[in-house]
Amino acid sequence: MNRPLIHWTFRVMFIFILLSFYSPRAMAQEADIAIKPPLGWNTWYGYLCKVTDSDVRAQADMMVANGMKAVGYEYVNIDDCWQGQRDSEGVIHSNSNFPDMKALGDYIHSKGLKFGVYSSPGPKTCAGYEGSYGHEDQDAKTYAGWGVDFLKYDWCSAADVYKPSEMETAYKKMGDALRQSGRPILYSLCEYGLQRVWLWGPSVGANMWRTTGDLDYKYDRFSLVGFEQNGLERFAGPGHWNDPDMLLVGLGKITDDESRTQVSLWSLLAAPLIASADLRKVSAASLAILSNPEVIAVDQDPAGIQGRRISEEGPLDIWMKPLADGSKAVGLFNRGEDAEPITVYFKDVGVGESAAVRDLWAAKDLGTFKDSFTATVPRNGVVMLRMK
Ligand code: GLA
């Protein structure tokens, strides 16, 4: 071999060796987490701050007993209000409602589930508990020691110590700390969609980010938020998802039609499905809505494509999500006051002239249709279809 050739061979080998040290390692960790939108349960809407270790264990038990685990629900997340004080070394401890976080994590893991906690980049959480400001690395290590698998990181009082333009840096601090914690921990940002988080979320290590403020306990609020998500689809994908906040199924005065609207829309959005009602109290109908395997399969579709609006006529809204097997999930939503027929045209869906149509909530094949399909949709309700 002549000299220049030997030189070049060495150079190329050197570059390969460098690459194999850096990118695959970093990517392996990112790639393993939240490949599909996370499914789970969170304490906040059901309990607010009145939550204890035994409540969380009971919810984990329920998630196994009621079949939610079997359809994919996995994370059991404690939201705000578990924190106690820091000790003289600065190590965070839980408060008396959570006597032993490691034991709680072990319990959740023993059920085949994953364990989530909550903190803030600011000095205090939104409910006034201890935040992680100035203790990011230490807290990430503490969480890893407890066996934590998921961190929700909520802006709250960070607004007092950082400028809005420093938000990305503040979130990156914890993102880096989690990466160096020695444990894969899903990183969930909660900053209500400020600073166009979808543009920089992945670069701070986020696996999901809230795109909106809180949902309250009302259809009017979650439908307003949910139907506003159109346009964010290009920022979601395996490992990093838009999060329009939790499922309200089983909470407040939300009806079954309204619950189906939320679960259908969130699934079309490939959003995380995080239930929040007390699972010991939800009705059989709410449980069935949370656990419908065909609708969850739309959310969890391996292509990981967030759906989008394909038609809007007054209160009648049609959304479509392309699926990995070439079929399309379609939601016909009626945001009006009375039941209405809604027609979806196949040219808008992109399924060719005729399509086989399945109703996912009814678990029924409806037959093959030409050019369009029409269904009557109840007030505040949805007909959710799969078309091929
Ligand atoms: C904020 C978040 C909520 C919840 C509370 C807890 O409002 O948006 O999801 O975490 O804080 O205090």
Side-chain angles (χ1 to χ4, degrees), residues 44-46 48 215-219 221 248 251-254:
W44 185 247
Y45 285 122
L48 301 174
L215 290 189
D216 204 349
Y217 297 86
K218 293 188 194 88
Y219 169 81
R221 170 76 186 142
L248 298 173
L251 289 160
K253 292 200 168 74
I254 294 161

Side-chain angles (χ1 to χ4, degrees), residues 44 79-80 118 126-127 152 154 156 190 192 210 214 245-246:
W44 185 247
D79 205 275
D80 208 347
Y118 164 104
C126 292
K152 174 174 168 182
D154 194 351
C156 309
C190 177
Y192 338 115
R210 281 271 294 274
D214 291 7
D245 202 10
M246 294 176 260

Side-chain angles (χ1 to χ4, degrees), residues 182-205:
R183 189 175 170 87
I185 298 178
L186 190 156
Y187 190 28
S188 163
L189 311 195
C190 177
E191 41 76 271
Y192 338 115
L194 298 171
Q195 300 292 317
R196 295 160 62 82
V197 57
W198 40 87
L199 295 179
W200 49 266
S203 71
V204 302

Side-chain angles (χ1 to χ4, degrees), residues 225-238:
V225 163
F227 289 109
E228 264 176 2
Q229 300 298 304
N230 197 47
L232 293 182
E233 56 276 3
R234 66 181 185 279
F235 303 108

